[in-house]
Amino acid sequence: MGYNTAVVAAGCVLLGVACGIIGCFASLRKRAVLADALGHATLPGIAAAYLVAPSLGLASRSTPVLFVGAAAGAGLGAVAVGLLLRTGRLRADAAVSAVLSVFFGAGVLLLSIIQRLDRGDQGGLSHLLLGQTAAMSRSDAVTIGVLALAATSVVGLLFKEFRSLCFDTDFAAVQGWPVRFLDFVLMFLITLVVVVGLQAVGLLLVVALLVIPAASARFWSNRLGWVLMAGAVIGGVSGLAGAMGSASIDRVPIGGAIVLCSAGLFVLSMVAGPARGLIPMWSRGKHLGSPPR
Amino acid sequence: MTLPTFLTLDFAPMATAAFCAATCAMLGSWLLLRRMSLLGDAISHSVLPGLVAAFVVTQSRSPLPMFLGGATAGVVAAALIELVRRAGKLDSGTAMGVVFSASFALGLVMIRRVEGTMSADLDADCVLYGELSRILWQPPAGTTHLSVAGIGSIPREFIAAGTGTLVTFAAIVALRKELTAAAFDHAFAVTTGLRPGLVSTVLVVLVAASVVSSFEAVGSILVIALLVCPAAAARFLTDRLGVQLVLSVVIGVACAVLGYILAAAAPEIVGLPGAVSPSGSIAVCTGGALVLAILAGPRHGVIARGWRWLDLASRVAAEDRLARLYRESESTGSRVVERERFEPRVSAWVAFVSAWKLRRQGLIENTSKGPQLTGSGLVRAAELVRAHRLWESYLVENVGLRPDHVHDTAMRLEHLPPRLEPELSAELDPHNRPIPPRTSP
């Protein structure tokens, strides 16, 4: 394994760990599907940042510019979902689907304008849809790693608060914790990992990093600490295996590889996870006569 | 632009988009009512591996195998979602997230593996964005569009989309009773043998089929916009099921046509060369339609609801002020209230509108010493105070509350229509203040 592959793999592992942990909280707080809308909503942000950057005297392909654009798009998407829900006439599923598709449509529109402008430097924008097919650059991998670490440490610091937020919001409020602010922090972290993740797996698949490891982890334990641990391990292993697989097999995009690895781990967890997996449940049911609650 | 040019370049893609929009809007309304909108999202992502598999097997993009492959993959994904949801005891959003992202990833990996290895061409772009502008109606040389040969050369995407619309329409008409029962009262549907489970399966198959027949035209992700947005927009405009279905189709078709025209025409106006992505433009139009409906819906729109709220709030504030002036002039014995107590409970906006209402109806006049009730204002205020004190008496005598606990409740009840006020013959309220006599018959 070359040095570059090792750096990319390390970045993917850290990303997987961060997504696994934050995905657990996101799914407990019923925000996991929102990540799909956020992922798609980054596209118009990225395209707009690309269009606007030169007039601000910035390099339009520079990672920070696209990063800010992606975050702005995702933030707008989150606000739009919130506003749609506040009308009280649309359910979360419809709001998420509407924002996802319309924002993505706006992104496609802007991308087609960019193509017409033909500035000659748009190469790589479409990579963000499906993840970097060529090897990530070292600095990209380092950025991903650092941000993933930062997100993980915020969760570590706010573990107790997030736990209350997810399991008993009223209790958290009675304790005097700023529930709305904590919700905002969680949303911010979801946005952060979505934006970071789209560099690696592309904005169409970034939701998978948040949903699949978290859903798999749920089969391993009924204790939050262990579930988070399992989510981190499953996310990290998927990141590692995906990066390695993509590097060693020809023409396998890294995003697809990571997601397929995590899907494999999901099947394994669903079948064999000790807490809620099918086989343990079945064998316990056989001993007790009825499945345990 | 001449008619033949229009028919060659623009008619077929525009009509194809309109057919896709109509199909998706019809199905989208049912998905929305059954809270299954995310399923359209999930299916449109999951058809990808089926499409690629059909492409690999047949080595071409011939429509029937692609359609079968995609629809099969969509139905399989829906079944997998149900399996994961039940076996894993996960909520349906999570189950969908797991299944559709995994199968979409599978499809992308398959595409990348086969890219460039075959004579025919299938790339991620055409699946994601659609290829509306590549649909051309090119009649054989020497014939016109409306000749036999010209009609025979109508592009297959157009025919597929039109067939999809017809089949969907027929299925919905045939199953309207079952669909309605399953959407509004699941238990009723089960007990009367209307088979909601089977209806769900049919709906899933129809969605999968329409997604597959639309993906070539508008792309796999923008088809979600056509499924969700027109239906959601119609939801803000009506409460009737039939109207909802018709409106969503009208909105969908209008967005498709408008979006296509804008994509073709707008860049020239701004001075960009060539056209922009029509599917992106259509999706943005459906979003615009949704926003418009949310703002301007006659009953459920934000503006209508805000207006109704402001109307009520300002009426209550105006009536409260009338009653307050009445009480003060009652205690001082003078019609002019020199020192008016303001209760700053309402926002400035509501206070402004209520003051405007009082002035317009001529209920209060401002003298140099202070505000004063006019003749009609005095009548109206007496009615309000009468209602207030009657309600206080009622609450003490019939409900059994203590006299010092009834004021706030009476403050609300006094705004009810006069025909609802309690029929009591009391002349004094619990605080020994006189109840004004009934003025109007």
Side-chain angles (χ1 to χ4, degrees):
Chain A
M1 187 167 68
Y3 177 66
N4 227 20
T5 320
V7 173
V8 170
C12 288
V13 170
L14 286 175
L15 177 69
V17 170
C19 287
I21 292 174
I22 291 168
C24 285
F25 280 120
S27 67
L28 285 173
R29 192 87 183 111
K30 306 262 184 289
R31 296 283 153 79
V33 193
L34 187 60
D36 200 18
L38 298 190
H40 288 71
T42 54
L43 186 61
I46 292 167
Y50 174 87
L51 279 170
V52 172
S55 54
L56 300 175
L58 299 164
S60 52
R61 264 293 287 143
S62 71
T63 307
V65 169
L66 298 185
F67 203 86
V68 169
L76 263 184
V79 170
V81 171
L83 287 178
L84 284 180
L85 289 179
R86 276 193 58 181
T87 62
R89 221 166 146 71
L90 290 182
R91 300 273 158 184
D93 60 337
V96 163
S97 306
V99 167
L100 173 159
S101 53
V102 172
F103 273 64
F104 190 76
V108 169
L109 196 62
L110 289 175
L111 278 187
S112 70
I113 292 175
I114 289 174
Q115 264 172 9
R116 294 283 178 264
L117 289 176
D118 200 21
R119 288 214 301 246
D121 57 348
Q122 76 255 27
L125 270 195
S126 57
H127 284 168
L128 292 171
L129 283 173
L130 306 173
Q132 307 274 47
T133 42
M136 261 182 280
S137 78
R138 251 179 58 199
S139 63
D140 283 346
V142 171
T143 318
I144 289 176
V146 169
L147 287 172
L149 261 185
T152 315
S153 24
V154 172
V155 174
L157 287 174
L158 293 176
F159 174 74
K160 177 173 82 223
E161 285 81 357
F162 277 164
R163 184 176 56 191
S164 308
L165 181 72
C166 291
F167 287 102
D168 197 340
T169 317
D170 294 340
F171 171 76
V174 169
Q175 286 292 300
W177 288 332
V179 170
R180 290 175 67 107
F181 177 72
L182 287 173
D183 245 341
F184 174 78
V185 172
L186 185 57
M187 280 300 301
F188 177 79
L189 288 176
I190 295 173
T191 312
L192 183 69
V193 290
V194 163
V195 173
V196 173
L198 68 86
Q199 293 259 359
V201 300
L203 56 88
L204 297 173
L205 283 178
V206 76
V207 60
L209 288 186
L210 281 162
V211 172
I212 299 182
S216 320
R218 197 61 195 85
F219 292 105
W220 290 87
S221 172
N222 287 322
R223 310 281 314 166
L224 180 62
W226 288 110
V227 169
L228 290 180
M229 205 75 86
V233 170
I234 292 168
V237 170
S238 315
L240 182 67
M244 308 280 281
S246 163
S248 51
I249 309 171
D250 202 23
R251 285 206 316 271
V252 170
I254 189 164
I258 293 177
V259 175
L260 286 183
C261 289
S262 65
L265 290 175
F266 174 82
V267 173
L268 178 71
S269 309
M270 192 169 106
V271 173
R276 285 151 61 111
L278 293 178
I279 293 176
M281 290 286 271
W282 174 74
S283 71
R284 247 177 288 163
K286 224 170 67 170
H287 289 305
L288 294 173
S290 68
R293 285 292 301 162
Chain B
M1 184 187 285
T2 60
L3 185 63
T5 331
F6 168 76
L7 286 176
T8 304
L9 289 179
D10 289 328
F11 171 74
M14 200 194 283
T16 307
F19 277 134
C20 292
T23 313
C24 290
M26 280 189 275
L27 293 170
S29 286
W30 293 108
L31 289 179
L32 188 74
L33 291 172
R34 302 203 58 181
R35 294 171 197 171
M36 285 163 60
S37 294
L38 218 48
L39 190 68
D41 185 359
I43 290 179
S44 75
H45 281 83
S46 338
V47 295
L48 191 54
L51 294 173
V52 185
F55 176 71
V56 170
V57 170
T58 61
Q59 296 279 325
S60 76
R61 280 172 58 175
S62 47
L64 193 63
M66 294 283 271
F67 178 81
L68 288 178
T72 312
V75 174
V76 167
L80 271 180
I81 289 170
E82 200 54 24
L83 178 76
V84 166
R85 191 177 70 79
R86 291 204 188 150
K89 297 189 177 61
L90 296 170
D91 72 278
S92 60
T94 310
M96 281 182 200
V98 170
V99 173
F100 86 69
S101 52
S103 56
F104 194 63
L106 181 66
L108 286 177
V109 171
M110 286 165 72
I111 283 192
R112 202 45 60 81
R113 293 286 293 169
V114 303
E115 230 170 28
T117 58
M118 281 187 274
S119 51
D121 163 55
L122 179 82
D123 56 9
D125 281 7
C126 90
V127 177
L128 290 175
Y129 309 143
E131 301 190 310
L132 217 43
S133 44
R134 274 200 220 168
I135 305 175
L136 296 179
W137 182 8
Q138 192 75 65
T143 58
T144 60
H145 288 88
L146 299 178
S147 66
V148 176
I151 289 180
S153 67
I154 285 181
R156 61 177 170 78
E157 291 91 345
F158 174 85
I159 294 171
T163 315
T165 306
L166 282 180
V167 170
T168 308
F169 180 72
I172 286 179
V173 169
L175 289 174
R176 64 188 184 286
K177 193 173 61 185
E178 285 80 0
L179 281 166
T180 312
F184 288 99
D185 195 339
H186 196 268
F188 170 79
V190 173
T191 48
T192 45
L194 291 173
R195 309 289 297 275
L198 192 64
V199 173
S200 291
T201 312
V202 172
L203 194 58
V204 166
V205 172
L206 283 175
V207 171
S210 75
V211 164
V212 179
S213 65
S214 310
F215 100 94
E216 270 187 298
V218 295
S220 69
I221 292 174
L222 302 172
V223 75
I224 304 168
L226 292 181
L227 275 171
V228 179
C229 292
R235 194 81 182 80
F236 281 88
L237 301 178
T238 179
D239 288 323
R240 308 286 316 166
L241 179 60
V243 184
Q244 155 88 32
L245 285 169
V246 173
L247 266 182
S248 63
V249 170
V250 170
I251 295 171
V253 171
C255 287
V257 173
L258 183 70
Y260 186 85
I261 293 174
L262 282 180
E268 284 175 38
I269 300 168
V270 193
L272 281 171
V276 294
S277 156
S279 48
S281 161
I282 291 172
V284 172
C285 279
T286 63
L290 177 57
V291 171
L292 209 61
I294 289 176
L295 289 179
R299 217 175 114 78
H300 304 288
V302 170
I303 294 174
R305 271 164 52 180
W307 175 254
R308 280 201 305 273
W309 176 84
L310 185 63
D311 193 49
L312 181 65
S314 60
R315 180 169 73 80
V316 168
E319 291 182 352
D320 281 349
R321 180 152 182 244
L322 281 178
R324 213 159 50 230
L325 289 178
Y326 182 92
R327 286 195 197 93
E328 303 224 352
S329 64
E330 191 182 45
S331 62
T332 58
S334 127
R335 291 265 311 265
V336 180
V337 178
E338 293 186 20
R339 226 174 273 134
E340 186 181 358
R341 280 190 301 115
F342 281 101
E343 291 178 29
R345 277 207 214 139
V346 296
S347 65
W349 187 223
V350 173
F352 174 78
V353 178
S354 70
W356 176 77
K357 280 190 171 173
L358 287 172
R359 223 177 18 251
R360 195 196 54 176
Q361 294 168 3
L363 299 175
I364 291 180
E365 61 190 357
N366 286 313
T367 65
S368 56
K369 287 183 184 168
Q372 176 190 341
L373 291 172
T374 61
S376 56
L378 197 62
V379 171
R380 182 83 191 92
E383 279 172 12
L384 287 162
V385 171
R386 172 183 160 80
H388 181 91
R389 292 181 179 165
L390 276 176
W391 276 115
E392 285 191 337
S393 305
Y394 174 83
L395 289 173
V396 169
E397 284 165 27
N398 299 49
V399 183
L401 297 179
R402 294 213 333 243
D404 54 344
H405 275 58
V406 294
H407 177 76
D408 287 345
T409 312
M411 280 299 279
R412 287 164 191 239
L413 294 173
E414 73 188 30
H415 301 291
L416 290 175
R419 65 188 160 81
L420 294 177
E421 74 183 27
E423 291 179 2
L424 298 174
S425 56
E427 290 183 359
L428 291 178
D429 76 350
H431 311 295
N432 286 326
R433 282 185 293 243
I435 297 178
R438 185 190 293 273
T439 43
S440 52

